[in-house]
Amino acid sequence: MNNITVHGICKHLLRNDHFLVFTHENPDADTIGSCFALVYTLRLLGKKAYPACCDRIPASLTFMTDGEREFHIENAPADFIPAYYISVDVASRAQLGSYRHLADKINLSLDHHATHEIFAELHLTDPRSAACAEIVYHVINRLLSGEITQKIACLLYAALAADTGGFRYANTTPVTHKIAAKLIEKGASHAEICRNLFECKTKTALAAEAFAMANVSYFCGGKISYIKITRADKTACGFEDEDTYDVINVIRRVDGVKVAIFAREKDDGSYKISTRSACEIDVSKICAIFGGGGHAGAAGCSVTPETVDAAVERIIKECGFHE
Ligand SMILES: [Mn+2]
């Protein structure tokens, strides 16, 4: 499936310059960490490189971007003319969000989604990698001959820790732990990163979680937990979309729950459905029914307001649990 190796990628990167590195829309720690680690590495090699992110960095992840939140293409200097386009952790054209019209320009894609839709000229997709940052680590380690800086180590560590839920999810492998160990050796501040990722919460994020705890419903004898959050709920309880990133984790941790479903009304009125599976049910296949995707244990899709309730009913049915 892959048409390039880590070695081949390094040769390409060394031969080119003026890089634009794209995250996926609604950026998470894996895409941000992978993107910025690659940008800083290319700069260390004397090249020009800028991140490109169509959405704002969530406030909870600005510890990874020196507090900055806007990384639109226009934020790069006016005299910077991109000549080489890279995407990291982007599973499909659609995941480039408002930059999807640039999908055909992507020269190199690094990704770890099993559902990866090939859109780049060169691509390395490894679904065995717990995070895209694992793949990026191998590239960066080679480019820098092992001389990974502390800043880059922190970015990659945060990405790894986030996509593995703090090295707790089933996607965590011995390789993940070996890379994490290397990154700590290079100065990754693991305790501070994990506090930022998993413990520190804004008051508005706490309000979102309180809403979820109070309003979760259960199906199939408690094997499925479900929460729907509308725009009206967000206004009434004083929280925003980015405060809801941990809502799915709140409802999936209930004893007996195998599949968690979270439907969130977005500002444009459409619904983003997120799903998590803690059993053999592959939620990426179920979300694919609605044009979505992701991983076996974590996936999502977008639906219209008219179809959201029917979509959730179908997802529950597709899980195949008997009462
Ligand atoms: Mn990822």
Side-chain angles (χ1 to χ4, degrees):
M1 173 183 180
N2 294 303
N3 62 8
I4 192 154
T5 59
V6 167
H7 177 64
I9 289 167
C10 293
K11 286 207 311 205
H12 264 272
L13 296 179
L14 290 169
R15 266 206 300 268
N16 283 280
D17 202 345
H18 297 87
F19 297 92
L20 203 50
V21 186
F22 289 80
T23 68
H24 59 69
E25 63 177 341
N26 303 315
D28 62 10
D30 186 24
T31 199
I32 294 170
S34 296
C35 169
F36 283 79
L38 201 51
V39 164
Y40 291 138
T41 298
L42 292 165
R43 288 180 185 171
L44 283 173
L45 297 170
K47 298 182 182 289
K48 287 206 175 356
Y50 289 91
C53 187
C54 64
D55 295 318
R56 290 212 308 170
I57 304 294
S60 59
L61 295 178
T62 52
F63 75 93
M64 298 178 73
T65 59
D66 299 323
E68 296 292 321
R69 303 195 64 178
E70 309 280 346
F71 294 96
H72 303 301
I73 295 175
E74 310 79 64
N75 289 73
D79 63 348
F80 171 74
I81 299 168
Y84 198 94
Y85 294 70
I86 304 172
S87 68
V88 286
D89 201 33
V90 179
S92 64
R93 288 179 171 83
Q95 279 215 307
L96 285 166
S98 57
Y99 291 149
R100 77 190 70 177
H101 62 287
L102 297 171
D104 290 337
K105 285 194 168 192
I106 304 282
N107 301 94
L108 171 67
S109 151
L110 304 177
D111 187 32
H112 71 128
H113 292 87
T115 55
H116 184 83
E117 156 206 306
I118 297 168
F119 56 88
E121 182 189 350
L122 299 172
H123 68 100
L124 179 57
T125 305
D126 180 13
R128 291 164 307 171
S129 292
C132 184
E134 283 193 18
I135 303 164
V136 173
Y137 167 83
H138 292 302
V139 172
I140 288 177
N141 196 41
R142 192 172 191 124
L143 284 173
L144 298 178
S145 309
E147 297 300 316
I148 291 179
T149 64
Q150 183 182 21
K151 187 164 190 155
I152 291 169
C154 285
L155 286 163
L156 293 176
Y157 191 93
L160 272 189
D163 260 27
T164 56
F167 306 97
R168 290 172 304 162
Y169 299 160
N171 60 358
T172 309
T173 68
V175 175
T176 319
H177 279 291
K178 281 177 191 155
I179 294 175
K182 285 276 178 213
L183 295 173
I184 293 175
E185 276 174 15
K186 295 294 176 188
S189 44
H190 56 96
E192 188 189 334
I193 290 167
C194 286
R195 168 155 170 79
N196 277 322
L197 283 176
F198 306 116
E199 291 174 35
C200 218
K201 271 185 209 305
T202 60
K203 294 183 184 76
T204 46
L206 209 63
E209 291 176 27
F211 179 87
M213 284 180 200
N215 294 284
V216 59
S217 48
Y218 301 98
F219 297 90
C220 306
K223 292 192 184 69
I224 295 178
S225 59
Y226 171 54
I227 182 77
K228 177 165 145 183
I229 294 182
T230 64
R231 282 185 287 185
D233 295 328
K234 288 184 271 184
T235 309
C237 300
F239 61 86
E240 294 176 40
D241 279 344
E242 67 171 49
D243 297 316
T244 63
Y245 62 94
D246 249 352
V247 159
I248 191 80
N249 295 320
V250 167
I251 65 164
R252 64 181 270 279
R253 73 158 84 99
V254 181
D255 188 26
V257 166
K258 304 288 185 205
V259 173
I261 307 167
F262 170 33
R264 164 173 66 83
E265 188 180 9
K266 299 200 286 191
D267 291 336
D268 64 5
S270 67
Y271 275 82
K272 170 78 202 289
I273 299 181
S274 304
T275 55
R276 297 288 184 274
S277 167
C279 61
E280 65 294 335
I281 292 167
D282 181 342
V283 283
S284 74
K285 286 188 183 148
I286 299 179
C287 288
I289 297 170
F290 305 98
H295 306 285
C301 56
S302 291
V303 297
T304 62
E306 303 76 43
T307 57
V308 62
D309 292 331
V312 170
E313 258 178 58
R314 175 81 190 273
I315 291 169
I316 292 170
K317 190 163 157 263
E318 289 292 329
C319 288
F321 292 124
H322 301 292
E323 198 72 29

